[in-house]
Amino acid sequence: MTVILELSMSLDGFVAGRGVGPAAPMGEGGERLHDWMGPDETGSAHPADRAAARATFATAGAVVLGRRMFDLGEEPWGDDGTFGVPCFVVTHRPRRTLVKGPTSFEFVTSGAAEAVQRAHAAAGDRDVLLMGGADLAGQCLAAGLVDEVRLHLVPVLLGAGTRLFDAGVRADLEPVWVSESPMATHLTYRIGRPTALN
Amino acid sequence: MTVILELSMSLDGFVAGRGVGPAAPMGEGGERLHDWMGPDETGSAHPADRAAARATFATAGAVVLGRRMFDLGEEPWGDDGTFGVPCFVVTHRPRRTLVKGPTSFEFVTSGAAEAVQRAHAAAGDRDVLLMGGADLAGQCLAAGLVDEVRLHLVPVLLGAGTRLFDAGVRADLEPVWVSESPMATHLTYRIGRPTALN
């Protein structure tokens, strides 16, 4: 049972462009970060991208995500909620669990660690997928809740936006998998015990 | 004739740890970034690392670097100056050209573009290697002086330090080469026309 942090990131370290909002959920230029997933549900034609996209959900038994990501995704994820597993939204705003077909969204107001723990329980022996955003990812990295980092490194410099690694966490990583296409380099690392910088 | 920006970078985007100075030229934890080059001149035992290290100087006819990097490197680079080609140091402090065996260091006070132009002239049909630091790299990226980016992405989170990409430059990249070892993922990109963010 592994907690996997998975995100698409520009070479200059951004997981969204600047100016994120309902009209631009990925910010200025940020849609580019998801191009490797392809223009529609058939995905990119490149085998490395297809394999990376499949791997994302192949082993996930539950999802943890931040409230802003949920707010931006609620509409586009559609009537079935896309994920097909229990999802745990870290938020300060209490809300009743939302069920969309095979997907449920439970709102956790007691912090990231509690959300990951509930996701663990829901996932059984399957993995927990931590999808961001960057704030939540930083909290979970700092708290040592992440076992594996799966980054899709996209060949673009966005120049500004939301940085993934901005929480002052120091850790050793062990590369376990690399694959590449013209659209992204897919990098998987196991993460050692983090230490917070003072 | 290509201008190649080459640097080792942590997964969280740092080319040096915090607290860079004469006692710690790579900053706190930053020596880790060069581990892939191996403990001595025989280098890492891994073929991907050895090939990446060889590629660095195989085609370089001249080097451009910043003054702080020169100051930190002057001693450790030894009596032959290590590089064996004409080097151009971007600085505000005039100084007479320094010759160390096969290596020369010319001090350019008229900016990065001028230094790159002189390096071009000195390199003939060989490449110009732009070695950083990060400030100079940012200036050259912003000015569109860089044709290729060669990053050695090191599996570590440093948490703080000097960021490579901090100059608000937006550009498309085209991956041309990826290789990996347990010590680093070696990434080569061709860089498109950059645009500065306003």
Side-chain angles (χ1 to χ4, degrees):
Chain A
M1 192 166 58
T2 302
V3 177
I4 302 167
L5 169 62
E6 167 149 21
L7 281 162
S8 296
M9 182 176 90
S10 66
L11 187 68
D12 52 352
F14 299 105
V15 294
R18 63 181 179 183
V20 168
M26 293 296 294
E28 216 177 285
E31 289 300 335
R32 179 79 172 71
L33 299 179
H34 290 166
D35 279 357
W36 67 271
M37 297 182 204
D40 53 44
E41 57 193 17
T42 61
S44 158
H46 196 287
D49 294 332
R50 297 181 72 94
R54 273 195 307 268
T56 301
F57 291 105
T59 65
V63 166
V64 175
L65 69 164
R67 200 259 308 160
R68 269 171 297 194
M69 179 178 273
F70 170 79
D71 285 350
L72 294 168
E74 188 173 0
E75 286 286 317
W77 291 333
D79 289 342
D80 71 351
T82 291
F83 301 113
V85 295
C87 299
F88 297 84
V89 182
V90 180
T91 178
H92 295 291
R93 261 186 346 215
R95 179 171 166 181
R96 275 177 55 186
T97 297
L98 180 71
V99 176
K100 293 192 164 196
T103 309
S104 61
F105 294 95
E106 188 177 322
F107 299 85
V108 180
T109 55
S110 41
E114 171 73 19
V116 169
Q117 199 177 317
R118 288 203 213 167
H120 261 313
D125 56 1
R126 294 174 68 81
D127 296 329
V128 172
L129 192 63
L130 173 60
M131 301 194 62
D135 271 5
L136 179 62
Q139 286 173 48
C140 290
L141 283 168
L145 299 171
V146 180
D147 303 305
E148 201 175 290
V149 179
R150 248 183 237 173
L151 287 185
H152 310 286
L153 193 65
V154 176
V156 67
L157 303 179
L158 288 182
T162 310
R163 284 196 193 276
L164 174 53
F165 295 111
D166 213 15
V169 175
R170 178 173 295 179
D172 271 309
L173 306 172
E174 182 196 342
V176 291
W177 179 254
V178 179
S179 69
E180 75 265 14
S181 84
M183 311 288 266
T185 307
H186 307 286
L187 301 160
T188 299
Y189 299 95
R190 253 189 297 271
I191 185 164
R193 189 90 208 138
T195 52
L197 291 177
N198 48 25
Chain B
M1 193 167 56
T2 303
V3 178
I4 302 167
L5 170 61
E6 166 149 21
L7 281 163
S8 297
M9 182 175 89
S10 65
L11 187 68
D12 53 351
F14 298 105
V15 293
R18 63 181 178 181
V20 168
M26 293 296 293
E28 215 177 288
E31 290 299 334
R32 179 80 173 72
L33 299 178
H34 290 166
D35 279 357
W36 67 270
M37 297 181 202
D40 53 43
E41 57 193 15
T42 61
S44 159
H46 196 287
D49 294 332
R50 297 180 72 95
R54 274 195 306 270
T56 301
F57 291 105
T59 65
V63 166
V64 175
L65 68 164
R67 202 260 306 160
R68 269 170 298 193
M69 178 178 273
F70 170 79
D71 285 350
L72 295 168
E74 189 173 0
E75 285 287 318
W77 291 333
D79 289 342
D80 71 350
T82 291
F83 301 113
V85 295
C87 299
F88 297 85
V89 182
V90 180
T91 178
H92 295 292
R93 260 186 345 214
R95 179 171 166 180
R96 274 176 57 186
T97 297
L98 180 71
V99 177
K100 293 192 165 196
T103 310
S104 61
F105 294 94
E106 188 176 323
F107 299 85
V108 180
T109 55
S110 40
E114 171 73 18
V116 169
Q117 201 178 316
R118 288 203 213 167
H120 262 313
D125 56 2
R126 295 174 67 81
D127 296 330
V128 172
L129 192 62
L130 173 60
M131 300 194 62
D135 271 5
L136 179 63
Q139 286 173 48
C140 292
L141 283 168
L145 299 170
V146 180
D147 304 305
E148 201 173 289
V149 179
R150 248 183 237 173
L151 287 186
H152 310 286
L153 193 66
V154 176
V156 67
L157 304 179
L158 289 182
T162 310
R163 283 195 192 277
L164 174 54
F165 296 111
D166 213 15
V169 175
R170 179 173 294 180
D172 271 309
L173 306 171
E174 182 196 341
V176 291
W177 179 255
V178 179
S179 69
E180 75 265 13
S181 83
M183 310 287 268
T185 307
H186 307 286
L187 301 160
T188 299
Y189 299 94
R190 253 190 297 273
I191 184 164
R193 191 87 209 140
T195 53
L197 292 178
N198 49 23

